[in-house]
Amino acid sequence: MKFTTAPMGWNSWDCYGAAVDEKTVRANAEYMAKNLKSFGWEYVVVDIQWSEPEASTNEYHPFADLCMDEYGRLLPAPNRFPSAEGGKGFKPLADYVHSLGLKFGIHIMRGIPRQAVSKNCPVLGTNTTARQVAKTASICFWNTDMYGLDPDREGAREYYDSIFALYASWGVDFIKCDDICRELPHEEKEMVMLSESLRSCGRDMVLSLSPGPALLEKAELYKQVANMWRITDDFWDDWKLLYNMFERAEKWSIHTGQGNYPDADMLPVGPIRQCYDPDAVTKFTKEEQITMMTLWAIMRSPLMIGGEMTKFDDFTYKLLTNEGILDMHKNARHSHQVYRREINGVETVLWIASSANGGEYVAVFNIGDTNNTVEVSLDDLEWTEAKEACEMWTAEKLTWCDGAKISLPAHSAKAYYFK
């Protein structure tokens, strides 16, 4: 299935690290259904370590005991996800999310649990075992849960078939697969095998690859195997990371198309890092959050909220429900950077895109550290006549004649739609 728009949803990592629980997931799903669903937000994704009973922060416990069935397939820890008790897995939670009109997703790690290899679990439906299919030299350098799978060994594909059959039976709609995106070409064959198993499981699921940075020279492979792939390592509320995203966005923008979305990572907005401090909120300024949303929207990156939604303030809610910006995210086509240059000694970036509904989008960014006023000419936009526009964050009307003078505070952006 081709997913026609970049996914929009919520992921538990920025708030709860490895320690999210069912009560929290349900509460955030309820908030999304009530407040954000009508704007296009729909995915609720449980991030890493859901099978570990003792997970408590975003830190990993080396060689932790995981909940697992007799075939080496990980299961939700019932002390954190009570509805999974009795081998039900995530089906009850997925059913609840679906009952709200939303979609349900989970994080997985590439490969097979080391625990399954230690116990030499059988691979479902085969005469092979975990030890026979594991690639023990292929490990994650920041998490000790898994070994890679050897695509050349009998039973490896069948193991992936077995886990995606399980996820399909639970009603999973979104898979975030970790430790796979930036390891190419080392794990390229495993990536292809995993993708083939997912696509043959009988249920449509988004496949998201992480972490980044993805390899630009492998863009066509990512398009063949996945729906979205991380173009960066974990993105947090640090201006330097947002500043650096402009270079990544410019390089990857030509690879965006229906069903294929370079992923600039989660939006660390509102209350984040709740596993450490329930009072923690994003360190991004309001201007920086507007810059982030504008860039993610015009490049059509997936939009995955990282904040605790039940604690959103009015600014954060309006940031995520701006209809013009979300329309741009849905309808922008042929998005690209026109220039990145110093104007009045301040670094300025100009992006444009066509709209699938007719008209054009223009986004102007001040990525310097001082306020500035820039003039964007008709020649910059390759227009031959004046046009009237609306600035989508402020609703300010603007007629673009010979040129438009635009005032931009430091680290801020303005976005215009021309019918």
Side-chain angles (χ1 to χ4, degrees):
M1 175 179 178
K2 281 287 187 182
F3 296 90
T4 57
T5 57
M8 297 170 56
W10 175 83
N11 179 291
S12 61
W13 173 254
D14 283 0
C15 281
Y16 299 103
V20 72
D21 59 22
E22 182 168 355
K23 179 180 178 182
T24 300
V25 174
R26 286 177 177 253
N28 278 274
E30 290 161 5
Y31 180 95
M32 181 180 287
K34 180 179 179 181
N35 300 286
L36 300 179
K37 176 186 168 186
S38 62
F39 294 93
W41 301 93
E42 59 178 346
Y43 289 97
V44 175
V45 181
V46 177
D47 211 272
I48 196 168
Q49 299 303 114
W50 41 262
S51 62
E52 183 190 344
E54 302 303 320
S56 57
T57 64
N58 69 339
E59 297 177 357
Y60 304 119
H61 299 144
F63 307 104
D65 287 330
L66 307 176
C67 295
M68 188 178 73
D69 72 6
E70 66 269 33
Y71 299 110
R73 302 179 298 180
L74 296 178
L75 301 172
N79 64 317
R80 294 169 54 201
F81 299 92
S83 69
E85 189 71 56
K88 297 184 184 70
F90 272 127
K91 181 169 173 45
L93 181 54
D95 286 347
Y96 181 70
V97 171
H98 293 155
S99 76
L100 300 173
L102 303 174
K103 296 179 180 179
F104 180 72
I106 61 173
H107 172 288
I108 67 171
M109 294 291 290
R110 169 183 66 87
I112 189 167
R114 297 189 190 190
Q115 187 172 304
V117 175
S118 176
K119 295 182 177 182
N120 204 24
C121 296
V123 175
L124 180 64
T126 75
N127 294 319
T128 58
T129 66
R131 288 180 191 168
Q132 292 173 297
V133 300
K135 190 175 183 180
T136 56
S138 177
I139 61 174
C140 176
F141 294 106
W142 43 266
N143 183 286
T144 60
D145 291 347
M146 313 292 277
Y147 289 126
L149 282 168
D150 189 337
D152 296 324
R153 293 184 182 179
E154 182 181 353
R157 164 66 189 265
E158 286 78 6
Y159 178 77
Y160 272 137
D161 287 346
S162 76
I163 64 169
F164 287 115
L166 181 65
Y167 304 153
S169 74
W170 291 346
V172 173
D173 305 295
F174 184 109
I175 295 289
K176 175 185 175 182
C177 184
D178 218 333
D179 189 41
I180 200 166
C181 193
R182 66 182 178 201
E183 298 300 321
L184 292 173
H186 182 218
E187 309 303 346
E188 185 172 322
K189 290 178 68 175
E190 186 175 2
M191 177 190 292
V192 173
M193 179 174 66
L194 180 148
S195 175
E196 291 172 348
S197 285
L198 182 150
R199 291 179 176 180
S200 63
C201 76
R203 183 176 180 84
D204 289 329
M205 301 182 198
V206 171
L207 178 56
S208 167
L209 305 180
S210 69
L215 304 179
L216 195 61
E217 65 269 23
K218 293 291 184 177
E220 296 307 318
L221 174 64
Y222 298 130
K223 294 176 190 178
Q224 293 172 32
V225 300
N227 304 106
M228 50 190 278
W229 53 91
R230 285 265 297 278
I231 62 174
T232 178
D233 203 340
D234 285 2
F235 177 80
W236 284 101
D237 49 339
D238 179 339
W239 170 251
K240 291 181 181 178
L241 297 179
L242 180 50
Y243 175 88
N244 290 337
M245 193 65 71
F246 280 86
E247 180 180 358
R248 299 182 189 279
E250 188 273 330
K251 290 178 178 178
W252 280 100
S253 61
I254 63 171
H255 295 291
T256 300
Q258 188 181 94
N260 302 127
Y261 304 102
D263 178 14
D265 201 13
M266 287 176 278
L267 302 166
V269 297
I272 56 176
R273 300 184 180 89
Q274 302 296 287
C275 59
Y276 284 119
D277 179 2
D279 296 321
V281 296
T282 184
K283 296 175 184 176
F284 277 142
T285 66
K286 291 181 178 180
E287 288 80 9
E288 290 166 351
Q289 292 176 71
I290 287 172
T291 291
M292 175 176 60
M293 276 295 293
T294 303
L295 181 61
W296 268 236
I298 198 167
M299 71 171 283
R300 295 169 71 195
S301 169
L303 300 178
M304 300 300 291
I305 297 166
E308 168 56 66
M309 293 188 288
T310 65
K311 297 182 180 180
F312 277 175
D313 60 14
D314 186 61
F315 171 82
T316 308
Y317 174 76
K318 289 179 178 177
L319 179 81
L320 299 172
T321 58
N322 182 297
E323 293 190 39
I325 296 297
L326 294 179
D327 283 347
M328 179 169 69
H329 179 252
K330 180 179 179 181
N331 295 312
R333 300 292 186 271
H334 316 300
S335 306
H336 63 279
Q337 179 179 297
V338 175
Y339 64 65
R340 179 175 181 169
R341 63 173 71 137
E342 283 197 2
I343 298 177
N344 303 323
V346 180
E347 197 168 8
T348 306
V349 179
L350 176 66
W351 276 64
I352 61 173
S354 301
S355 171
N357 290 335
E360 296 168 274
Y361 298 109
V362 175
V364 189
F365 302 89
N366 176 355
I367 60 174
D369 296 329
T370 58
N371 299 345
N372 197 20
T373 298
V374 302
E375 183 170 350
V376 180
S377 70
L378 293 181
D379 288 341
D380 290 328
L381 304 175
E382 296 188 296
W383 293 349
T384 58
E385 59 183 19
K387 298 184 181 183
E388 292 187 353
C390 177
E391 204 287 312
M392 292 183 283
W393 291 109
T394 62
E396 174 190 5
K397 302 296 183 182
L398 176 67
T399 299
W400 225 290
C401 297
D402 294 334
K405 290 186 177 180
I406 301 169
S407 296
L408 292 165
H411 300 184
S412 73
K414 289 189 176 180
Y416 299 89
Y417 175 53
F418 298 84
K419 294 183 179 179

